[in-house]
Amino acid sequence: MKRREHLSPDLTPIIDVVFLILIFFMVSSTFKKEELALLLTLPDSQHATQEIKKEDLYIELSVEEIALKGEKVSFEELDSVFAKVEDNLKPINVRIDKEVTYQRVVKLLDLLNKYGLNNLALENKKEE
């Protein structure tokens, strides 16, 4: 009596294709931590920072520039954007470089207060 061998498909080509697809996606994707426009040096804090949600407004303020949702803008453009915000309780995350003058921060806060946007979160980096 003859013994039958168990036939099984060769998995080598399938594994090759899976690895090629994996390498393709790794090379072709970009990984972004956050959509930020300005390079800021944030002050240290002992408490953790919160996550930015896509629907939240986030503002970055440096010594010379200001950005809203990752795009550089001017204070005049910010004024027109804030005028269109309907929800006064919408969360606004503000990242301020530690070298920014107090006058510049006050100018931003005055603009936010003008439209009643007071739900602010000032971001910083966690002390290590």
Side-chain angles (χ1 to χ4, degrees):
M1 187 175 229
K2 275 187 167 179
R3 265 188 160 179
R4 287 188 168 186
E5 287 186 33
H6 291 293
L7 295 177
S8 63
D10 187 18
L11 295 178
T12 307
I14 295 172
I15 294 172
D16 288 344
V17 169
V18 169
F19 278 123
L20 285 174
I21 291 172
L22 177 68
I23 291 171
F24 170 77
F25 282 116
M26 287 175 52
V27 171
S28 64
S29 355
T30 58
F31 298 99
K32 290 186 177 181
K33 185 176 180 185
E34 297 175 357
E35 295 280 334
L36 304 175
L38 307 178
L39 295 174
L40 303 177
T41 306
L42 299 176
D44 293 329
S45 172
Q46 295 177 355
H47 301 287
T49 58
Q50 69 183 32
E51 294 291 322
I52 296 175
K53 298 177 185 169
K54 291 285 185 190
E55 62 272 2
D56 291 353
L57 287 176
Y58 56 94
I59 302 167
E60 302 166 78
L61 186 63
S62 72
V63 175
E64 298 177 0
E65 298 176 310
I66 189 166
L68 175 70
K69 285 194 159 190
E71 295 180 19
K72 294 178 184 177
V73 294
S74 66
F75 277 102
E76 293 78 24
E77 292 171 322
L78 270 182
D79 193 7
S80 64
V81 169
F82 292 157
K84 296 175 186 174
V85 175
E86 296 173 2
D87 183 13
N88 287 357
L89 298 177
K90 185 175 188 111
I92 300 173
N93 297 297
V94 182
R95 296 178 56 144
I96 302 171
D97 191 276
K98 67 180 180 181
E99 302 296 325
V100 173
T101 61
Y102 186 64
Q103 180 63 36
R104 194 160 165 83
V105 174
V106 168
K107 185 176 181 179
L108 174 64
L109 294 177
D110 281 344
L111 188 59
L112 289 166
N113 195 31
K114 177 179 174 181
Y115 295 103
L117 301 171
N118 297 320
N119 190 6
L120 297 178
L122 298 176
E123 292 189 32
N124 50 34
K125 68 177 183 178
K126 186 171 171 84
E127 260 183 11
E128 295 182 21

